[in-house]
Amino acid sequence: MLEHTVKSYEEELKLLDSKIAQMGGLAERQLTEAFDALEKRDPRLAERVIAGDAAIDSIEHELQEHVVTIIAKRQPMAIDLRQIMGVLSISGDLERVGDLAKNMAKRALAIAPESHPKPIITGLNHMVELASSQLKDALDAYAARDAERALSVWHADSKLDNLYNSIFRELLTHMMEDPRNIGLSTHLLFGAKNIERVGDHTTNIAETIHFLVTGRKLIDDRPKGDRTSSTLIKG
Amino acid sequence: MQQLDAGSVQVLTSLKSSTAQTIGEPKIVARDVSVYYGEKQALFDVDVNVPRNSVMAFIGPSGCGKSTFLRCINRMNDTIPIARVEGKIAIDGQDIDDPELDVVELRARVGMVFQKPNPFPKSIYENVAYGPRIHGLARNKADLDRIVETSLQRAGLLKEVKDRLQEPGTGLSGGQQQRLCIARAIATSPDIILMDEPCSALDPIATARVEELIDELRQTLTIIIVTHSMQQAARVSQRTAFFHLGVLVEEDETSTIFTNPSDQRTQDYITGRFG
Ligand SMILES: Nc1ncnc2c1ncn2[C@@H]1O[C@H](COP(=O)(O)OP(=O)(O)O)[C@@H](O)[C@H]1O
Ligand SMILES: [Mg+2]
């Protein structure tokens, strides 16, 4: 694409990209470290993740201020307008990913003294790996303004939903086997839900990128993969 | 004259045979309009439909032919000796080159407002009364007074000038002068107004007044506005046409042009990426 006649405008827009990359990198790291803290039952790492969320929030604030200034100064149009709106939306999603990582770290802290059921941790590990690679793909698609890649990220979210559904069922069984497991299992279930929600934010990001690049919305609703809201335990 | 496509022929003939205009039919239909200044071609095969009771914005870099095309619509190019116009333009289905059509009458129906407010060196009253008088639109003095008053009223200027109608129009502020020119343009009850960068010499408040006025006039008129301000085009128009090097590159709903234009040249221009 041609550059803007006004060079400083070009630089202002590039700054948005670098802030998104920075924020995305942090969110990815927070997510994997939150899970590490849970897996390794490491309260100090969990504390660090909890404290680290503030950095993501502050980049989001910087981005918002920056966007307000650009709108006031430049009155962006077309692709630039879509980028600015996209940046706001993506940074909102990344900020939520940060919150979810922080929430998982809090749970890691709460259950650190207890021993975790191995198969569940393995399942969660899969989920985190998938969620963070999806997030990374989405961020790469943003950097490359690649609508195709965003679309494949968008489609891939169902895998994460499937993993979540099976962990959900396993944890139910675990709880039914012995009511003393309920406290721990509930934390793990919320942990799994947190990762599944990260997937949803990644999907939002993919939709935003698709719109930013093509100017068209991904309209047909992605089939909802989390079926647990309609699952009931029959005693 | 060039060959017309089937659609526009139909528009031309069907409109001509009926006096009552159907809402859905375009006010102005242009087909294959080309303009030459001597050897140099300034416009290339412009096709466009301008819907009635709406505002269409013409945007594009200087020299791309916006004013040239505007001048085709009221045949002002006839007054430029070296200009030659080809193609077809119809208003309400009537060919504006029809020999039966009176050009003076055409210009009364198609008003024009220019970049620099250009009131006549006469009183405010005379500026507005001039058109209706030469076109014989008023039966008597009371009638003329009424036309002047309603025109000033519609142009949003009456309150500011009603106690000094006999003072010279040139004594008004820039913004007031421009609204006086708009009052003058609407005094002959045109159904189209062509505005060529009407706000480029005005301050933001005066500009806002004119934009407000355009929005009101649209209820009863069809307006084309040439503007260099994308924001102005986005604010006042329903449709926008982008011209580049004498070619109408793209014409679409204004919201589409400014959020997701189809043509790369449009995109580059409106985002400030032009060479
Ligand atoms: N009266 C004229 N005589 C000769 N050339 C003209 C005349 N008016 C306009 N042109 C030429 O026609 C082209 C289009 O001009 P114009 O319609 O005024 O563009 P715009 O209004 O988009 O700035 C330009 O190259 C300009 O130099
Ligand atoms: Mg011009």
Side-chain angles (χ1 to χ4, degrees), chain B residues 8-182:
Chain B
S8 49
V9 169
Q10 202 185 8
V11 170
L12 295 184
T13 49
S14 71
L15 282 180
K16 206 165 183 179
S17 59
S18 72
T19 39
Q21 306 301 339
T22 321
I23 302 298
E25 265 149 0
K27 181 74 185 175
I28 305 168
V29 174
R31 287 293 175 271
D32 290 322
V33 174
S34 293
V35 178
Y36 301 80
Y37 292 108
E39 291 295 295
K40 186 176 171 289
Q41 187 166 1
L43 265 192
F44 298 80
D45 301 319
V46 172
D47 280 352
V48 69
N49 291 348
V50 182
R52 66 188 61 243
N53 296 90
S54 69
V55 181
M56 182 176 281
F58 286 177
I59 60 170
S62 289
C64 66
K66 306 176 299 288
S67 299
T68 296
F69 185 61
L70 219 53
R71 283 195 300 265
C72 292
I73 298 171
N74 63 355
R75 288 182 52 186
M76 285 276 278
N77 285 320
D78 293 7
T79 63
I80 301 173
I82 59 166
R84 181 162 58 85
V85 181
E86 287 178 358
K88 203 94 169 153
I89 293 179
I91 295 175
D92 289 330
Q94 188 182 28
D95 185 345
I96 62 167
D97 282 319
D98 190 330
E100 284 174 26
L101 183 135
D102 174 4
V103 180
V104 177
E105 195 194 314
L106 173 73
R107 294 195 189 129
R109 283 179 63 202
V110 183
M112 197 151 185
V113 176
F114 300 89
Q115 171 174 4
K116 234 172 95 51
N118 56 349
F120 306 133
K122 290 189 169 153
S123 71
I124 294 170
Y125 181 96
E126 278 308 314
N127 263 279
V128 184
Y130 178 81
R133 192 180 280 138
I134 61 161
H135 291 293
L137 300 178
R139 276 159 299 157
N140 48 47
K141 174 78 167 80
D143 216 16
L144 193 59
D145 286 353
R146 193 187 45 75
I147 293 175
V148 170
E149 190 177 319
T150 40
S151 303
L152 286 169
Q153 172 74 42
R154 289 184 72 198
L157 192 61
L158 186 62
K159 252 204 249 149
E160 292 155 66
V161 302
K162 65 174 186 295
D163 298 326
R164 44 178 174 146
L165 290 178
Q166 296 314 322
E167 289 174 26
T170 46
L172 296 170
S173 74
Q176 290 172 326
Q177 287 189 23
Q178 195 60 303
R179 279 179 287 142
L180 178 62
C181 292
I182 294 173

Side-chain angles (χ1 to χ4, degrees), chain A residues 43-61:
Chain A
R44 285 182 50 201
L45 181 55
E47 298 279 13
R48 215 165 67 215
V49 172
I50 294 168
D53 188 47
I56 298 185
D57 291 353
S58 87
I59 302 180
E60 191 196 20
H61 289 142

Side-chain angles (χ1 to χ4, degrees), chain A residues 186-227:
Chain A
T186 306
H187 278 301
L188 292 174
L189 181 57
F190 276 117
K193 185 68 192 169
N194 287 344
I195 306 172
E196 188 272 331
R197 291 290 298 147
V198 168
D200 292 342
H201 287 291
T202 304
T203 307
N204 285 347
I205 293 174
E207 285 175 11
T208 304
I209 296 165
H210 190 273
F211 177 69
L212 191 163
V213 176
T214 65
R216 282 176 288 113
K217 291 225 164 71
L218 282 169
I219 25 167
D220 54 319
D221 256 351
R222 194 177 54 85
K224 191 86 186 79
D226 168 9
R227 291 180 299 276

